[in-house]
């Protein structure tokens, strides 16, 4: 009996590995663009995938895709309200050559692309000293008729040094239009500390552009920003359909079609906290468990691998350096997955 169970486990492991190796992987982080934003950006086709990051050594990089390209079609499959990027990719297998259609600077382009494999995917990460930091936080003081992100400025930061002021509305960073917070953070994240950054803002009825070298968060974190982060509330909830689509864009996988992983007694505590909280839950089944938390921009915040795990998980994490907002939690075991959204609010 034990031998039979061992053989069944081995067969399942091989089958799962083969399935993963055949899944296609593009190598981008992207956001679905809904009609209102598509119109503001000048795109005739809504619901495409707006690239915010291209990972090194991937199919997307080899095909020449760049941040802020707007992907509209994979092969014969348009990306629309019914078919997102993950669904379109799932019509192909890793290693196949197809085409990717996109819009760049108002021009439609199509290029050949040799799809990579999910099994070879790596997660981009960089140390704090390589993480660019502008030094702004959203002010919510929007101005009718002006698209962009209204901000307040933290002292002794890049934004402060280049002459930005509280109440400025960021409308463009370098050559990239800024409609919302996603656009702004994507434009910043594609810079390296020490590189020049040009920030265009709306102030007192006119646009103006300020330039300077962007610093890292490690060398730029001001005292007033640390005070803003003193207390946090961290809660979780089920994802809405649109949020599930965001996760599928990030992972380039059709998560909604996967069997649900049974996870019991999920808790986030204590609340309120000063940035550090505990994530705890119980997994009844046994097997390798992967725990991932992504920001809404697709940045991997937490990545845990628990080999041959079963039972209670309890781990402390620090989100104190991350902005308030929505994050996406995924717990995966085999081909089963549990997905929740984590809401971080500051008081």
């Amino acid at each position: 009996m034990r031998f039979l169970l061992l053989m069944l486990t081995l067969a399942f492991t091989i089958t799962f590995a083969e399935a993963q190796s055949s899944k296609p992987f593009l190598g981008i982080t992207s956001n679905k663009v809904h009609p209102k934003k598509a119109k503001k950006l000048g795109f005739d086709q809504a619901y495409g995938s707006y690239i915010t990051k291209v990972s090194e050594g991937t199919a997307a990089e080899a095909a020449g895709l760049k941040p802020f390209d707007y992907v509209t079609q994979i092969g014969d499959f348009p990306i629309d309200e019914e078919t997102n990027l993950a669904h379109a990719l799932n019509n192909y297998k890793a290693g196949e050559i197809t085409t990717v259609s996109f819009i760049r600077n108002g021009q439609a382009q199509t290029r050949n692309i040799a799809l990579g494999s999910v099994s070879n995917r790596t997660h981009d990460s960089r140390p704090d000293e390589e993480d660019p930091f502008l030094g702004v936080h959203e002010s919510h003081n929007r101005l009718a008729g002006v698209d962009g992100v209204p901000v307040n400025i933290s002292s002794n930061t890049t934004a402060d040094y280049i002459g930005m002021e509280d109440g400025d509305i960021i409308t463009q960073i370098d050559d990239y239009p800024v409609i919302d917070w996603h656009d702004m953070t994507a434009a910043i994240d594609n810079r390296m500390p020490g590189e020049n950054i040009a920030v265009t803002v709306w102030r007192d009825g006119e646009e103006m552009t300020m330039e300077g070298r962007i610093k890292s968060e490690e060398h730029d974190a001001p005292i007033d920003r640390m005070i803003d982060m003193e207390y946090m509330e961290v809660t979780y909830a089920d994802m809405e359909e649109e949020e599930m689509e965001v996760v599928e864009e990030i992972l380039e996988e059709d998560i909604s079609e996967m069997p649900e992983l049974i996870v019991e007694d999920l808790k986030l505590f204590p609340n309120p906290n000063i940035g550090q909280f505990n994530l705890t839950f119980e997994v009844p089944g046994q097997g390798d468990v992967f725990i991932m938390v992504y920001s809404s921009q697709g940045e991997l915040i937490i990545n845990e691998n628990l080999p041959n795990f079963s039972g209670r998980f309890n781990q402390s994490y620090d989100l104190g350096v991350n902005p308030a907002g929505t994050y996406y939690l995924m717990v995966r075991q085999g081909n089963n997955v549990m997905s929740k959204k984590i809401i971080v609010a500051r008081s």
Side-chain angles (χ1 to χ4, degrees):
M1 184 65 177
R2 184 176 297 176
F3 177 75
L4 178 60
L5 288 174
L6 178 62
M7 293 303 294
L8 288 172
T9 301
L10 179 61
F12 173 80
T13 302
I14 293 173
T15 302
F16 177 71
E18 289 176 345
Q20 288 294 98
S21 66
S22 68
K23 284 187 176 181
F25 180 60
L26 201 55
I28 63 172
T29 302
S30 63
N31 296 315
K32 175 174 279 191
V33 177
H34 290 269
K36 186 176 180 180
K37 183 173 179 178
K39 184 177 180 180
K40 290 179 179 180
L41 290 169
F43 300 144
D44 293 331
Q45 178 180 334
Y47 301 107
S49 287
Y50 201 33
I51 298 177
T52 57
K53 188 173 185 179
V54 177
S55 297
E56 293 182 3
T58 61
E61 184 186 48
L65 293 177
K66 297 180 179 181
F68 296 95
D69 286 346
Y70 183 61
V71 180
T72 57
Q73 187 163 321
I74 300 292
D76 297 327
F77 300 91
I79 300 172
D80 52 31
E81 188 172 7
E82 301 298 326
T83 304
N84 63 24
L85 178 65
H87 295 153
L89 281 172
N90 282 340
N91 290 287
Y92 299 93
K93 292 183 178 180
E96 285 191 83
I97 297 176
T98 184
T99 57
V100 55
S101 299
F102 59 95
I103 297 171
R104 178 185 296 168
N105 298 328
Q107 301 296 316
Q109 301 186 34
T110 298
R111 297 190 182 182
N112 292 330
I113 187 166
L115 297 173
S117 169
V118 166
S119 62
N120 295 328
R121 175 174 57 193
T122 59
H123 296 290
D124 295 333
S125 63
R126 55 186 175 186
D128 289 344
E129 62 268 18
E130 295 180 10
D131 199 16
F133 180 60
L134 184 59
V136 299
H137 48 278
E138 198 164 7
S139 73
H140 303 291
N141 293 323
R142 298 192 173 275
L143 186 63
V146 178
D147 292 324
V149 177
V151 295
N152 288 328
I153 311 304
S154 295
S155 60
N156 303 318
T157 63
T158 302
D160 189 16
Y161 296 149
I162 66 175
M164 293 182 65
E165 298 179 0
D166 287 350
D168 281 349
I169 300 175
I170 298 177
T171 58
Q172 184 170 310
I173 293 181
D174 296 322
D175 296 326
Y176 307 128
V178 172
I179 304 296
D180 53 34
W181 191 265
H182 294 285
D183 299 335
M184 188 192 74
T185 55
I188 294 169
D189 286 344
N190 280 286
R191 284 276 168 236
M192 289 291 291
E195 291 183 339
N196 197 66
I197 189 169
V199 182
T200 301
V201 304
W202 183 270
R203 182 194 299 169
D204 298 330
E206 62 179 352
E207 276 195 330
M208 57 186 69
T209 300
M210 288 149 281
E211 297 187 41
R213 295 187 183 278
I214 192 166
K215 295 185 177 183
S216 69
E217 182 165 13
E218 184 177 78
H219 298 134
D220 229 5
I223 293 174
D224 61 337
R225 183 170 176 270
M226 298 305 292
I227 293 173
D228 287 343
M229 291 183 174
E230 191 170 2
Y231 293 105
M232 298 172 57
E233 291 275 351
V234 183
T235 57
Y236 73 90
D238 292 332
M239 291 188 198
E240 302 292 339
E241 183 177 348
E242 286 187 3
E243 292 168 324
M244 183 63 74
E245 290 175 352
V246 170
V247 173
E248 291 180 338
E249 292 281 332
I250 292 171
L251 297 180
E252 298 181 18
E253 289 189 78
D254 194 355
I255 301 296
S256 60
E257 297 298 320
M258 292 183 176
E260 184 177 1
L261 175 66
I262 302 301
V263 171
E264 299 174 350
D265 200 24
L266 175 63
K267 293 179 182 177
L268 298 171
F269 66 93
N271 274 306
N273 58 68
I274 57 172
Q276 292 184 331
F277 70 97
N278 278 50
L279 169 65
T280 182
F281 57 82
E282 188 158 343
V283 180
Q286 188 157 358
D288 293 349
V289 172
F290 299 89
I291 302 165
M292 294 162 286
V293 174
Y294 287 88
S295 72
S296 56
Q297 286 78 44
E299 181 184 0
L300 185 64
I301 305 296
I302 294 171
N303 187 22
E304 295 275 359
N305 181 7
L306 310 175
N308 199 29
F309 180 82
S310 177
R312 175 160 292 278
F313 174 81
N314 186 9
Q315 180 67 43
S316 177
Y317 296 105
D318 188 352
L319 282 181
V321 297
N322 297 97
T326 301
Y327 295 79
Y328 303 114
L329 165 68
M330 271 150 291
V331 181
R332 188 166 182 169
Q333 187 179 60
N335 204 34
N336 297 344
V337 64
M338 181 211 72
S339 54
K340 299 286 183 183
K341 63 180 176 183
I342 295 177
I343 302 100
V344 176
R346 301 193 185 280
S347 55

